[in-house]
Amino acid sequence: MDRIFKKINDLFEELGFETVIINEPLYSQGGSYYKITYVEGLKAFVIESAANYDEAKNKVFEDSDLYPILLGEDEIMIKLRNDLMKDYLSK
């Protein structure tokens, strides 16, 4: 699991997201804040987003996109890259 989290972190950095600490490490882009977590019950990675600094500080995150582990590491990374570029960088 650590390997895929490293790849995800590298992808966020490659795409220009800033890493910030607000209670925990987060990714920032265009005034919004994101984190990715693995949810065991769903067996999936989930992007969670906060619309602004106050929401991130108060830990008010909305679930955004879901990446089931069954897709496999390569497919997760492809889908994540496409989603980040289409939905998160264009905001």
Side-chain angles (χ1 to χ4, degrees), residues 38-76:
Y38 182 75
V39 179
E40 185 64 42
L42 297 174
K43 297 201 180 311
F45 292 94
V46 179
I47 293 180
E48 298 177 73
S49 60
N52 55 53
Y53 177 85
D54 288 335
E55 286 184 6
K57 182 180 168 192
N58 293 318
K59 299 181 182 182
V60 179
F61 287 86
E62 297 289 328
D63 291 349
S64 297
D65 290 305
L66 187 73
Y67 303 90
I69 198 74
L70 291 176
L71 289 175
E73 190 174 302
D74 291 340
E75 188 63 29
I76 288 171

Side-chain angles (χ1 to χ4, degrees), residues 3-83:
R3 185 178 78 227
I4 194 163
F5 271 116
K6 168 99 172 78
K7 285 184 171 184
I8 289 169
N9 182 62
D10 291 348
L11 177 60
F12 272 90
E13 288 180 5
E14 175 189 330
L15 294 177
F17 287 80
E18 181 183 357
T19 302
V20 297
I21 306 292
I22 305 173
N23 301 316
E24 61 187 310
L26 303 173
Y27 305 104
S28 177
Q29 179 66 251
S32 296
Y33 297 86
Y34 308 97
K35 64 180 177 175
I36 190 153
T37 55
Y38 182 75
V39 179
E40 185 64 42
L42 297 174
K43 297 201 180 311
F45 292 94
V46 179
I47 293 180
E48 298 177 73
S49 60
N52 55 53
Y53 177 85
D54 288 335
E55 286 184 6
K57 182 180 168 192
N58 293 318
K59 299 181 182 182
V60 179
F61 287 86
E62 297 289 328
D63 291 349
S64 297
D65 290 305
L66 187 73
Y67 303 90
I69 198 74
L70 291 176
L71 289 175
E73 190 174 302
D74 291 340
E75 188 63 29
I76 288 171
M77 296 307 297
I78 290 167
K79 185 170 175 10
L80 178 60
R81 174 184 291 280
N82 290 339
D83 289 349

